[in-house]
Amino acid sequence: MVREINIKRHVAVLAIVTLVFIIGVFIGMRQGLDAVSALGQDYESISMSSAMMDTLYLVEDSGMNASESCEVYSSLFERFSSDISDFNHRMWVLEEQLGKRDPALLSLKDKFNTLEVRNYLLLKKVDRVCKENHTVILYFYSNKNYDPERDQGEVIQQVIRKNETIVYHFDTDIPNPSVEMLIKKYQVFVTPSIVVNDKMYSGFQDKEALEKILEGLEE
Amino acid sequence: MEYVLSFLSLYFLTYLLLTYLEEEWEEPSSVDMPFVTVLIPAYNESENIKGTIESALGIDYPAYEVIVIDDGSTDDTAEKAEKTGVLVLRQKNAGKADALNNGMSHAKGEIIATLDADSYVDPKALRYMVGFFKNPRVMAVTATMKVMEERGMLVRMQKAEYMINNLFVKIFSLLDSVIVTPGPFSLYRASVFKKLGGFEGRTLAEDNEMALRIQSRNYLIKSSKKAVVYTKVPKTLGALFRQRKRWYVGYIENLRRYRGLLSPRYGELGSFILPVATMLLILTLTKIMIDTMDTANNLFQGTAMEESYFMQPFQFLTIASLTVGLILFFISILESRENPSISMFLHLFLLMMLAPIMYTYAFLMRAYEIITRRSARW
């Protein structure tokens, strides 16, 4: 007895499933564009906050007493460090989904790197004027030699106490004069590398090593 | 792997749905009423045996006999059976397959019906089922299985599951791809046992093994929508897990034995139903293991779970396959002549959540048995 296979029905089902898949691809792409757009809006918002903090430079230059604004700037920096952390995390998630070479993400990251450098320099000024001592980590990385087993960013997130440490992420693959200035200043030759309160630590620092570095700051 | 799993799921369910919508269902009536032997194998079924025998004796059919085979019960199953007046064969405990084979050696019927000792058959069942044997290639016919009780969350979950399984069996019947002749109530042409041998005792799922054996010889198994058998289901998680272990492990072991069925020679069964169903089972198990390890690793490392800000195509495929699954379930509720309710969907959802745990338990336990060289237990 010959058992039949209904080829027409299989072709119809294959067509339906393929169509569903294609619709899924389009929906995903659309959502991806929306997610990048939302991240772009976040960048604009953070950029605006940063612009407000820039006035500290002008206050000091004008001869006014900048230290009277210290309380305001401290709280702004706390919020800003949280915004940076969220932004970098969302950037990382989108890079995982869209790819690290996505042009829209690269452009956004480039602008954000510049914003981070500006904010870092302002933070140093705030610490000087307000006599504060924030723990700051500059994290330099490259996606070209990314090793998921040695993800410095992941280690930093595991170790730091978020309210007390500000972390700036710099993608060294993107040509950015501001970032290159920091690379030259801290003699960053290898990625990943971190600079913790102006001290350079070259190469991957595992959890234990990073904990020791941060404990050393407390002493 | 997610892409393959979601693609196959959607393909499988959509194919079943299209088959249901396109094919016409026929329930052949029969003028001939061949003599039927109803075999009831029983082991320690003192609580149920009287009711089962009474349901068998209440069958509306002109020519049949009932034989109970007591498989060395340690309670009063045999005595209770004898009081009903039916022929009771007693044997030393040797398992269900042996009991059935013993019963067949005393059977006079052209058609053999097997009825589990905890199941009740609808009076009209035989009349609805024998018509399928007009086709000389049909060697077995199955009935629609319904859950006897209504109480208990676990029972209601299984009731929902049986409803959709009944629909799947009907569709498989349309595709000549029925792979189980369920123990609660199935009919066989007596000559098939002469051609292919009796029930196999060395398998965990003799009903699945017999069905695959019949299919492997290119005979047909059909399913009757109208014939109904009511059966009891496990009421505790432990009993349910043991049952499913037997089913899942038995299925894989039987499929390994009849892997020759995985061939286009067997039409939709060999080229689509069996390969896809098996791949879905293996991929689901693999995904469960990988996801469990990932979750454990994330918890151990204190790292975040994977996030996503937008839908991946495989997630869209998964949503689509869930949608088709829900449509099929809705159809199965209507076919069962029940009133659809939200609680039925909830119960099916709960069982689907439980299913991966049952799969994992089944295969881990079997792996343990193999490693420790214990024989598989019911």
Side-chain angles (χ1 to χ4, degrees), chain B residues 218-283:
Chain B
N218 237 335
Y219 293 123
L220 300 178
I221 303 172
K222 289 295 181 185
S223 183
S224 169
K225 241 199 307 197
K226 292 180 184 174
V228 177
V229 62
Y230 298 89
T231 189
K232 291 193 174 177
V233 294
K235 291 193 189 61
T236 64
L237 271 178
L240 179 65
F241 272 50
R242 281 192 296 278
Q243 181 196 59
R244 296 311 161 102
K245 177 192 164 236
R246 186 168 61 79
W247 288 3
Y248 302 150
V249 174
Y251 170 77
I252 292 294
E253 290 181 349
N254 289 333
L255 186 62
R256 211 173 53 159
R257 192 168 161 179
Y258 291 100
R259 55 189 177 274
L261 281 168
L262 297 169
S263 158
R265 210 157 63 92
Y266 296 98
E268 298 283 3
L269 174 70
S271 59
F272 175 59
I273 300 290
L274 276 182
V276 173
T278 308
M279 272 189 68
L280 283 173
L281 181 61
I282 293 169
L283 284 173

Side-chain angles (χ1 to χ4, degrees), chain B residues 153 156-157 159-161 163-164 322-334 338-353:
Chain B
M153 172 73 84
R156 287 196 288 270
M157 282 159 63
K159 185 180 171 186
E161 185 197 24
M163 276 197 278
I164 194 154
L322 284 172
T323 306
V324 175
L326 283 173
I327 293 171
L328 284 167
F329 183 56
F330 185 75
I331 293 171
S332 75
I333 296 173
L334 298 177
E338 301 261 353
N339 290 325
S341 67
I342 302 287
S343 65
M344 284 178 186
F345 289 88
L346 179 64
H347 290 127
L348 184 71
F349 173 75
L350 288 173
L351 194 78
M352 280 168 58
M353 293 296 107

Side-chain angles (χ1 to χ4, degrees), chain A:
Chain A
M1 188 195 88
V2 176
R3 294 211 194 189
E4 287 175 359
I5 298 172
N6 193 323
I7 302 288
K8 270 190 198 165
R9 194 181 293 151
H10 278 289
V11 169
V13 172
L14 184 63
I16 291 168
V17 175
T18 306
L19 182 63
V20 168
F21 179 79
I22 291 170
I23 292 171
V25 167
F26 274 116
I27 291 177
M29 276 170 58
R30 179 74 225 171
Q31 289 182 330
L33 286 172
D34 289 346
V36 173
S37 173
L39 197 63
Q41 283 169 12
D42 283 349
Y43 163 77
E44 295 301 330
S45 166
I46 295 170
S47 186
M48 191 56 132
S49 307
S50 182
M52 284 193 281
M53 288 189 274
D54 283 352
T55 53
L56 182 66
Y57 279 108
L58 298 170
V59 165
E60 207 188 18
D61 286 346
S62 72
M64 289 170 64
N65 191 352
S67 61
E68 286 175 1
S69 311
C70 284
E71 213 177 285
V72 171
Y73 280 101
S74 273
S75 73
L76 276 175
F77 262 107
E78 267 178 36
R79 202 180 78 194
F80 192 82
S81 77
S82 170
D83 289 346
I84 291 179
S85 178
D86 284 344
F87 185 94
N88 277 311
H89 176 70
R90 288 171 63 189
M91 173 68 75
W92 177 78
V93 171
L94 279 176
E95 276 183 335
E96 290 293 303
Q97 292 191 265
L98 295 173
K100 296 185 194 294
R101 302 244 62 84
D102 182 82
L105 285 180
L106 282 177
S107 167
L108 202 51
K109 203 193 268 190
D110 186 20
K111 287 194 279 192
F112 195 71
N113 276 354
T114 307
L115 185 67
E116 285 184 294
V117 172
R118 205 167 84 201
N119 192 266
Y120 168 60
L121 296 173
L122 182 60
L123 179 63
K124 287 173 88 66
K125 193 171 183 109
V126 167
D127 278 356
R128 195 183 74 241
V129 169
C130 303
K131 294 181 178 40
E132 289 191 15
N133 194 16
H134 287 92
T135 303
V136 180
I137 298 177
L138 307 183
Y139 165 39
F140 297 91
Y141 67 94
S142 165
N143 284 322
K144 287 178 189 159
N145 64 355
Y146 174 68
D147 179 357
E149 298 293 315
R150 295 157 70 84
D151 188 332
Q152 188 69 77
E154 188 64 49
V155 171
I156 292 171
Q157 289 308 310
Q158 286 172 20
V159 170
I160 62 163
R161 279 174 237 156
K162 285 192 177 137
N163 293 340
E164 298 171 10
T165 311
I166 302 170
V167 183
Y168 297 102
H169 296 62
F170 299 113
D171 185 348
T172 60
D173 296 331
I174 302 173
N176 182 305
S178 309
V179 175
E180 278 162 19
M181 176 199 71
L182 290 180
I183 289 171
K184 270 193 188 135
K185 178 180 159 99
Y186 292 110
Q187 304 277 287
V188 176
F189 299 121
V190 156
T191 53
S193 284
I194 55 173
V195 173
V196 183
N197 284 8
D198 284 332
K199 195 170 172 197
M200 225 288 277
Y201 298 89
S202 182
F204 174 73
Q205 307 295 321
D206 64 20
K207 201 170 162 184
E208 271 177 40
L210 187 55
E211 279 169 349
K212 257 193 199 156
I213 292 167
L214 293 175
E215 274 162 27
L217 295 176
E218 287 167 17
E219 286 161 11

